[in-house]
Amino acid sequence: MATAVDTTGTAADAAAMRRAIALAARGLGSTSPNPVVGCVIHDASGHEVGAGWHERAGGPHAEVHALRQAGVLARGGTAYVTLEPCNHTGRTGPCAQALIDAGVARVVYAVADPTPQATGGADTLRAAGVEVVAGLLEAEAEAGNAAWLTSVRLGRPYVLWKYAATLDGRVAAQDGTSRWISSPESRADVHRLRAEADAVVVGSGTARADDPHLAVRGIEGAAQPLRVVVDTEATAVRPGARVLDDAAPTLIAVAEDAETALTDVVRLPRAARGLSVPALLAALHERGVRSVLLEGGPALAGSFVAAGAVDKVVGYLAPVLLGSGPAALTDAGITTLTEALRLDVTETVRIGSDLRVTATVAPAAAPPAGTPAESPAAFPVAPKER
């Protein structure tokens, strides 16, 4: 008989799910456009006998890896999965049926699958007599899968804005010098962020001032993200620019009427300031990009904030004072304190001599400003793949 859905669980259940969440994180940067998923299998006596995670798009799902490791010991046991087991056949078979075939007696999952193609796994399991517990550690699992869930729910990539600044909020000195405000440890940590993202985005100002490379360095086996330069007038990226080498793919975003001889170009409509942010993110989403690391300067960051298109902020604050120079964020459309975009700080940690502050934008937070064309409603919601 099917068991009613609930969100309760024992301490052992919670420990197993936290292990599954940690396993899921190992897939960051390699599963897009699919989610990161972790799975742990306990035998009938409560001992772990299998574990796995979704390692790459097109490869076996987490449940399959864990079941292969568990073998016959999965029969009568419990599966802990960070995302509701899928119920469809895509590039791989349905995980709900794989769990049933393995004889698993109980399935505990954290987050319901929001995609119309894959949802229904829990119902399939219950119909086969499997006990199902839903919603265990849902918030923790959602945080670990925020990029994919955002892409499904909003129809655009998840955007993490990263910046490095002095304690008084300056990203460069008055004369424009900015290397190096942050510590070597912070700069190395940025490569981890790049390795976890599908695309890294900068603007024309950064391209001119720094000639950035934007590829991942120092992380063995990392998949290189798409390097994106927002170059509205097609004047900042010239032949020979470091971003045009073969270390990683590159896309230059220019205005529809801009003249350029570059080939890897996407033409986008203009906005009040530069290019339309929703159009840029829609173009990236069409290319399979589910997560964006925004490394652009203050003006580009301001355009994203004004468009309501920043989901997370990671700031590296250096113990340095300048007193003048550009601020970390400009032209965000915020004119009064009541319009401020307020964040929830989720982590503060020492990185070298710096302080890394991580904060998220509450899902219900409205964009501080922006025209209707620049609002989240401008992002079309399209069916997604798992």
Side-chain angles (χ1 to χ4, degrees):
M1 179 179 294
T3 300
V5 173
D6 63 56
T7 58
T8 62
T10 66
D13 287 337
M17 184 62 76
R18 285 198 173 92
R19 172 152 162 72
I21 292 170
L23 288 169
R26 298 188 186 184
L28 287 170
S30 61
T31 65
S32 187
N34 292 350
V36 294
V37 183
C39 178
V40 171
I41 306 288
H42 283 190
D43 64 14
S45 62
H47 296 96
E48 182 178 316
V49 292
W53 67 95
H54 185 38
E55 298 176 6
R56 60 179 179 83
H61 289 181
E63 296 94 321
V64 174
H65 283 298
L67 287 170
R68 286 175 180 171
Q69 192 177 104
V72 297
L73 297 178
R75 186 164 299 277
T78 298
Y80 300 89
V81 196
T82 58
L83 184 68
E84 179 186 1
C86 64
N87 198 42
H88 82 304
T89 299
R91 286 183 285 183
T92 60
C95 291
Q97 190 60 50
L99 291 164
I100 293 168
D101 293 343
V104 170
R106 181 170 177 258
V107 173
V108 181
Y109 70 86
V111 180
D113 195 316
T115 60
Q117 301 97 325
T119 193
D123 290 339
T124 296
L125 289 164
R126 292 191 196 96
V130 178
E131 178 186 353
V132 177
V133 177
L136 182 64
L137 301 186
E138 182 177 13
E140 292 181 33
E142 285 220 5
N145 217 6
W148 181 77
L149 289 168
T150 296
S151 75
V152 171
R153 292 166 178 168
L154 299 184
R156 65 156 173 85
Y158 179 86
V159 177
L160 187 161
W161 170 41
K162 159 264 164 189
Y163 71 94
T166 63
L167 281 183
D168 55 341
R170 309 294 177 173
V171 294
Q174 191 170 21
D175 64 358
T177 55
S178 61
R179 294 188 177 183
W180 292 104
I181 285 176
S182 60
S183 67
E185 293 85 354
S186 290
R187 298 196 296 275
D189 194 58
V190 171
H191 285 276
R192 175 188 60 83
L193 297 180
R194 288 180 182 177
E196 294 177 355
D198 294 338
V200 178
V201 178
V202 300
S204 57
T206 299
R208 288 192 185 93
D210 299 338
D211 187 22
H213 192 229
L214 302 180
V216 177
R217 297 188 301 275
I219 300 180
E220 185 177 354
Q224 292 292 347
L226 175 68
R227 300 177 293 187
V228 182
V229 179
V230 180
D231 186 8
T232 305
E233 306 300 338
T235 58
V237 180
R238 296 295 187 182
R242 298 174 68 213
V243 77
L244 296 178
D245 68 11
D246 60 0
T250 298
L251 182 68
I252 312 300
V254 303
E256 292 171 323
D257 56 350
E259 296 183 6
T260 178
L262 297 175
T263 56
D264 294 326
V265 167
V266 58
R267 295 184 176 276
L268 301 173
R270 293 179 181 269
R273 294 167 296 181
L275 299 179
S276 165
V277 170
L280 171 64
L281 292 178
L284 293 177
H285 194 271
E286 289 177 3
R287 286 166 168 78
V289 171
R290 298 296 180 261
S291 59
V292 165
L293 176 61
L294 179 61
E295 290 196 40
L300 185 63
S303 295
F304 272 72
V305 171
V310 171
D311 302 292
K312 187 175 182 178
V313 180
V314 175
Y316 297 89
L317 303 181
V320 177
L321 298 176
L322 285 174
S324 62
L329 182 68
T330 60
D331 299 326
I334 299 170
T335 58
T336 182
L337 190 59
T338 57
E339 296 175 350
L341 184 62
R342 299 190 181 273
L343 312 175
D344 294 325
V345 174
T346 59
E347 182 189 54
T348 57
V349 63
R350 185 80 174 262
I351 301 286
S353 59
D354 304 331
L355 182 67
R356 185 184 70 198
V357 179
T358 302
T360 58
V361 178
T371 65
E374 297 294 302
S375 71
F379 298 104
V381 176
K384 308 302 179 291
E385 170 192 18
R386 183 181 171 211

